Every structure is written in C-alpha cells, then in structure tokens.
Amino acid sequence: MEVSCFSQNVLLVTLLLAIAVSLVESQGTRVGFYSTSCPRVESIVRSTVQSHFGSDPTIAPGLLRMHFHDCFVHGCDASILIDGPGTEKTAPPNLLLRGYEVIDDAKTQLEAACPGVVSCADILALAARDSVVLTSGASWAVPTGRRDGTVSQASDAANLPGFRDSVDVQKQKFAAKGLNTQDLVTLVGGHTIGTTACQFFRYRLYNFTTTGNGADPSITAAFVSQLQALCPQNGDGSRRIGLDTGSVNRFDNSFFANLRDGKGILESDQRLWTDASTKTFVQRFLGIRGLLGLTFNIEFGRSMVKMSNIEVKTGTVGEIRKVCSKVN
C-alpha cells in the first residue's frame, strides 16, 4: 500500500513538473506562435514590407535599426514606437530612425484580419527579418509571442551603443543584454545596408590628430580624400553616406572587408578591426586562412534570434496594443 502511494506521489510530482515546464514554455516566444490565432501574420507583414520597399528601398535598413534600438531599451517590446513628448523616439540616438509607417500599415491590416492578437513587437521583429531578405540576405525563423510594453522614456535610450564607443564599452553594453563578442561583431555587420549622416563621423576626417593629414589614422589615406569630398568640414552634416562602401544596398559580408581595408565609416565600426578581441571574428567572416570560418548570413540570423529575445514580455506581462504608437 505504501509503495503504491509513493508511486502515485512520484507520478503526481512528475505530472506537476511537466505542467510547470509547459506553462513556462507557453509564456516564452516560439516559432509559429500565431499558427492558429492569426495564421497569415507572416505573409501580411512580408507583403507590407515588400510594398514599402518597392517604393523606397531605404526602408529596409531603417526597420532593421529600429528593431535593434527597440531591443536595447526595455527589451523587444515596441516601446520605440510609442508617440509623445519624452518618449524613446525623441531621444537623440533615435531621431533619425525611420519606417514607423510600415509597422503602422502592417498593424492596420493585422487588426482587420486578427483583431487584438498580434503585438507590435512581433510585427517589428518580423519586419526586420523581411528587410534583410529583401536586400539579398538569408532568412531565418523568427520566434514570436512577444507582448508590447507600456513604458517609453527618452532617458532610457542613453545606454544604446554609440558611434564613438570603444570596443570595451560596446562589449559591456552587449554583455548586459546577454550577447557575447561574436554577437556584437555579427550584429554590427547589419551596417552592411544603410547610411549614416556626415555629422556622425566627420570629426574623424579633420583635426582628429595633430600629425599627418589630421584624419583618424585607422582610415586609409585614399579613402580619407574620398570622404572629405563627400563631407566637407563645414558642409551639410545631414548628408547621407553609405556605411558599406560599394555595397550599400546589398546584405553581404563586404562590410567586414571594408573594415579590413580601413574603410569603416563609423569609429565604433572600424575599431572592430583594430581591437584583437573583435578582429578575430571579422577575419573569420572573411574566411582568413588558418581560422575557422563563419558564414555571416547564417550567424546573423542566429544572433538576431538571441537579440530579439532580450527581456521580452510574454504571458500576461505587457499588452497587445490596438495602435502601435499608443498605449491602450
């Protein structure tokens, strides 16, 4: 009798543990989260991004950057999308983000198809993936099930990675979000598409040093002349320059070749080549002989999945916004 009771107790405990594990898993993100509640979610987001990309290809890097900036503040919870004074989108690092209308468009369509089901955070994660695919990058499976945050404060964006950050500072900021050095180099590789403004790197071209031509010595001399012609010392600081010279609209590993050749536009990017701890990963993406190679397209998808799960709100935490720019 005692053995039978013991067996029943063990069975009950096992069953309860299984239920607990199941509940935990159900509250996390997973691929196919909307398979029954909104089966067309991915096709709707994809076609929306494709439509906007057709009329303005610069939307792709815009959406990719927006997802990154969202995840690094309060986690991937679409807090970057909330309108209002003093919200994240008003913070200096976010002022030039673009693509909000794409997310709003997709949300409108999804609310018509599946009212109150799909979060703005998931729409942004899917749109970032679709943007990479549209610029000839590889696809990856995006786990969904995020919920939207209700807090958005400009002051919280102060810890976003910056264009003057040293490699040590970049590593600290990524590590604080559970991302390692390989993730850092891989995700910065997203700069293979898109542009930046002269105001964010022009200081590297003039009076950076008191010797030579006055430019940052990590920039190759011939390239300094090209950049000075594009960004005169007293010229228009808002002029846009490609972050990946020669391949600004194509998602590939040429960005890393430019770092090797002293053609990184942002100081924080070029430092990935001059710092030994990150240089190894740049070399591996370039297939340098003697090192175990890495395939950028594959690793980018893996690191994006890690990043897109930073501090996500699931289960009953957060909300599903009706309009992405407004808290319910």
Side-chain angles (χ1 to χ4, degrees), residues 164-234:
R164 289 178 185 257
D165 286 351
S166 67
V167 168
D168 281 345
V169 169
Q170 291 182 68
K171 287 197 292 188
Q172 288 167 12
K173 289 180 178 180
F174 275 70
K177 301 299 179 182
L179 301 169
N180 60 31
T181 304
Q182 180 175 323
D183 295 318
L184 159 63
V185 177
T186 304
L187 291 169
V188 170
H191 286 168
T192 181
I193 55 173
T195 62
T196 189
C198 288
Q199 62 184 307
F200 297 124
F201 68 90
R202 186 165 53 191
Y203 68 92
R204 301 180 68 207
L205 309 177
Y206 309 95
N207 304 318
F208 190 86
T209 62
T210 55
T211 58
N213 61 7
D216 182 340
S218 66
I219 311 174
T220 189
F223 194 50
V224 168
S225 300
Q226 292 179 42
L227 292 178
Q228 288 177 333
L230 293 168
C231 297
Q233 190 164 11
N234 297 310

Side-chain angles (χ1 to χ4, degrees), residues 182 186 253 280-281 283-287 291-297 299 302:
Q182 180 175 323
T186 304
N253 73 342
T280 300
F281 292 107
Q283 291 175 315
R284 289 175 69 185
F285 281 130
L286 291 172
L291 292 173
L292 180 64
L294 290 169
T295 303
F296 176 52
N297 262 311
E299 297 305 326
R302 288 175 178 164

Side-chain angles (χ1 to χ4, degrees), residues 14-328:
T14 304
L15 184 60
L16 289 172
L17 282 172
I19 292 171
V21 170
S22 176
L23 284 170
V24 170
E25 289 178 346
S26 71
Q27 291 176 358
T29 61
R30 68 177 188 274
V31 174
F33 180 86
Y34 299 108
S35 58
T36 55
S37 59
C38 193
R40 292 182 52 230
V41 58
E42 295 209 20
S43 62
I44 289 173
V45 174
R46 186 183 307 113
S47 64
T48 304
V49 176
Q50 199 161 11
S51 174
H52 285 266
F53 178 82
S55 57
D56 181 8
T58 65
I59 279 297
L63 291 169
L64 183 58
R65 306 276 190 279
M66 190 189 295
H67 183 43
F68 180 93
H69 282 227
D70 181 44
C71 290
F72 265 71
V73 182
H74 293 305
C76 309
D77 66 350
S79 54
I80 187 68
L81 305 177
I82 298 173
D83 283 338
T87 56
E88 283 174 45
K89 63 167 60 175
T90 69
N94 295 330
L95 290 176
L96 297 179
L97 289 180
R98 47 199 310 277
Y100 296 106
E101 70 280 10
V102 183
I103 306 302
D104 290 340
D105 188 357
K107 180 62 172 175
T108 299
Q109 295 181 54
L110 286 165
E111 282 300 299
C114 324
V117 172
V118 181
S119 69
C120 300
D122 278 340
I123 295 172
L124 184 50
L126 291 167
R129 186 269 313 274
D130 296 338
S131 296
V132 169
V133 174
L134 284 168
T135 50
S136 303
S139 186
W140 65 89
V142 177
T144 45
R146 299 166 192 79
R147 287 169 66 84
D148 299 321
T150 57
V151 176
S152 183
Q153 296 178 327
S155 57
D156 293 332
N159 287 327
L160 278 166
F163 58 90
R164 289 178 185 257
D165 286 351
S166 67
V167 168
D168 281 345
V169 169
Q170 291 182 68
K171 287 197 292 188
Q172 288 167 12
K173 289 180 178 180
F174 275 70
K177 301 299 179 182
L179 301 169
N180 60 31
T181 304
Q182 180 175 323
D183 295 318
L184 159 63
V185 177
T186 304
L187 291 169
V188 170
H191 286 168
T192 181
I193 55 173
T195 62
T196 189
C198 288
Q199 62 184 307
F200 297 124
F201 68 90
R202 186 165 53 191
Y203 68 92
R204 301 180 68 207
L205 309 177
Y206 309 95
N207 304 318
F208 190 86
T209 62
T210 55
T211 58
N213 61 7
D216 182 340
S218 66
I219 311 174
T220 189
F223 194 50
V224 168
S225 300
Q226 292 179 42
L227 292 178
Q228 288 177 333
L230 293 168
C231 297
Q233 190 164 11
N234 297 310
D236 180 7
S238 65
R239 182 175 183 179
R240 308 295 296 184
I241 305 297
L243 285 164
D244 185 6
T245 302
S247 182
V248 67
N249 296 315
R250 185 177 178 83
F251 200 93
D252 54 26
N253 73 342
S254 66
F255 170 78
F256 298 111
N258 277 325
L259 298 187
R260 176 196 62 201
D261 298 338
K263 294 182 177 180
I265 301 296
L266 300 180
E267 185 179 8
S268 56
D269 288 356
Q270 188 59 52
R271 282 174 165 171
L272 299 183
W273 179 258
T274 56
D275 187 284
S277 67
T278 48
K279 181 177 181 177
T280 300
F281 292 107
V282 176
Q283 291 175 315
R284 289 175 69 185
F285 281 130
L286 291 172
I288 302 295
R289 186 176 297 174
L291 292 173
L292 180 64
L294 290 169
T295 303
F296 176 52
N297 262 311
I298 293 173
E299 297 305 326
F300 190 79
R302 288 175 178 164
S303 290
M304 282 293 285
V305 169
K306 283 180 69 175
M307 186 193 78
S308 71
N309 274 315
I310 293 174
E311 299 165 25
V312 294
K313 295 164 179 64
T314 59
T316 57
V317 180
E319 64 181 14
I320 304 296
R321 283 183 222 142
K322 296 186 177 83
V323 178
C324 288
S325 60
K326 298 177 183 177
V327 174
N328 289 348

